[in-house]
Amino acid sequence: MELTVKDKEALRKIAEFEEHCKPDSLEGKLGWSWDSVSVWPATLNRLLTFGLLEIIYHSNSYRGMRLTKEGREQAELLRVSSKSMPLEASQNQKLEVPEDIFDEIIGHQEVKELLRACLTAEKPVHVLLAGPPALAKTLFLWDIERAAGEKAVWLVGSATSKAGLWDVVAERQPSVVLIDELDKMNAADTAALLSMMEGGRLVRAKKGRELDLRQEIRVVAATNRLEVLSPELKSRFAIRRVGAYGRDEYLTVVKGVLVHRENVPEEMAEEIATRLDGRSQDVRDAVRVARLAPGLGVKRAIELLLPGG
């Protein structure tokens, strides 16, 4: 049994929760669920496999767990070995950004230079890409996610997650947080984001206990509506406006994305780009068409995805 850093941090959090859990509470009677301890289900499943957790109650809507005897022993060993270490976690690993990270994106040279500099700076600098709905902003987020791999977390402001921003960051401990549709993020997640961007610290009280995480993170976000963001949120970003592509640039970019990222044959990519010309400026529409085209054909896929266009 080899525990990862995330496994060990999860054990410490679970042990702390159980220590303060009231016997007559739901968690005391039926065991706690993943959102009670703010540990991602995938990590809990690993700990279950190792025999460090056990399921004491299961229904269609609730799965209650608790530490096994071995789990409590492991948690105690971790507590003893890290007495001088606060509960806060840190993952200040320098992000390696390849030189060709944005080579497939046409134009926007200053945006490319700014993003490279911010991603590799010694201290975090956060960037907000603003502009009308178009494909350039999304492409930048895609390229950063592809380069960062597991060190990046992609969130959509309109549906951050069931658990919320705090829990996603606490579980994944990313180096980069990518947020699309920032203008649609809810108030609770926006407050957590403000705290995280200002000092790299997230603090939350939940069910009588305080959870404290210190995490140095770079945030790269995109928004279609800059004017609706609060002054406090905008002040934490270096803001760059990104314009929509012209017709020729759009056709070139769509074909490049489909061929190099979706492995679409060049002839089909050409047809998709041509048929979408004048109907959509969003590369995601082209990707959706490409994924449906083998079964429906390009023309029919577009008719179903963009009716009346």
Side-chain angles (χ1 to χ4, degrees):
M1 176 177 63
E2 184 175 348
L3 297 178
T4 66
V5 174
K6 288 183 180 180
D7 294 336
K8 294 176 182 178
E9 177 63 23
L11 276 176
R12 283 194 290 264
K13 291 168 68 176
I14 292 168
E16 181 193 40
F17 178 82
E18 289 192 355
E19 183 179 341
H20 296 90
C21 185
K22 296 180 180 179
D24 58 346
S25 65
L26 174 66
E27 291 87 354
K29 294 178 179 178
L30 302 180
W32 42 262
S33 61
W34 70 273
D35 55 339
S36 297
V37 295
S38 299
V39 175
W40 217 241
T43 301
L44 296 178
N45 287 336
R46 279 176 52 83
L47 298 179
L48 281 165
T49 301
F50 291 149
L52 303 178
L53 298 180
E54 61 181 343
I55 298 173
I56 64 172
Y57 178 81
H58 196 283
S59 69
N60 291 333
S61 60
Y62 193 84
R63 183 173 75 159
M65 289 169 278
R66 68 182 177 194
L67 289 171
T68 61
K69 179 181 179 182
E70 184 179 357
R72 289 191 294 272
E73 291 173 350
Q74 284 283 345
E76 183 60 27
L77 287 174
L78 291 172
R79 182 183 302 180
V80 172
S81 64
S82 59
K83 270 191 174 180
S84 60
M85 184 184 302
L87 182 61
E88 300 171 358
S90 179
Q91 184 183 339
N92 301 329
Q93 303 175 10
K94 186 174 181 180
L95 187 66
E96 294 183 7
V97 178
E99 286 295 323
D100 62 350
I101 181 174
F102 301 126
D103 280 3
E104 293 182 9
I105 300 178
I106 294 177
H108 305 297
Q109 296 305 317
E110 290 190 350
V111 176
K112 294 178 183 178
E113 185 178 355
L114 174 64
L115 286 171
R116 285 196 196 95
C118 292
L119 290 171
T120 58
E122 192 69 27
K123 297 291 184 179
V125 177
H126 313 294
V127 180
L128 175 61
L129 305 178
L135 57 89
K137 300 192 303 295
T138 300
L139 288 177
F140 280 115
L141 297 185
W142 281 3
D143 278 350
I144 294 171
E145 182 186 35
R146 184 172 56 171
E150 292 185 354
K151 295 181 181 179
V153 167
W154 179 296
L155 304 171
V156 177
S158 57
T160 305
S161 73
K162 179 180 178 181
L165 176 66
W166 197 101
D167 300 277
V168 173
V169 173
E171 170 63 20
R172 297 281 298 277
Q173 297 186 23
S175 297
V176 182
V177 173
L178 305 168
I179 305 175
D180 204 0
E181 300 181 5
L182 179 67
D183 49 292
K184 297 179 181 178
M185 180 171 281
N186 64 47
D189 286 329
T190 299
L193 182 64
L194 287 169
S195 174
M196 181 176 67
M197 293 174 68
E198 182 65 22
R201 188 175 187 181
L202 289 171
V203 178
R204 182 184 65 177
K206 183 178 180 181
K207 296 184 179 179
R209 63 195 179 99
E210 185 179 88
L211 303 175
D212 195 337
L213 173 73
R214 186 176 297 280
Q215 183 81 2
E216 191 169 277
I217 293 173
R218 289 157 173 79
V219 179
V220 180
T223 181
N224 296 331
R225 301 182 301 160
L226 186 62
E227 68 280 1
V228 303
L229 301 180
S230 69
E232 294 83 6
L233 186 57
K234 288 190 286 189
S235 70
R236 285 163 169 78
F237 283 104
I239 301 174
R240 287 303 305 249
R241 294 185 178 273
V242 180
Y245 279 128
R247 178 178 179 275
D248 291 340
E249 291 176 323
Y250 170 77
L251 294 175
T252 301
V253 170
V254 166
K255 286 185 285 187
V257 168
L258 296 184
V259 171
H260 299 296
R261 304 185 191 189
E262 293 292 313
N263 298 316
V264 174
E266 291 190 12
E267 184 176 342
M268 180 181 286
E270 176 78 32
E271 180 184 359
I272 292 172
T274 301
R275 288 186 179 275
L276 283 178
D277 183 22
R279 301 187 67 163
S280 173
Q281 269 274 302
D282 194 332
V283 70
R284 288 167 289 199
D285 285 332
V287 170
R288 285 188 279 266
V289 170
R291 293 177 180 178
L292 293 182
L296 295 172
V298 173
K299 182 179 178 181
R300 186 55 178 162
I302 292 176
E303 289 174 348
L304 293 175
L305 288 169
L306 302 169

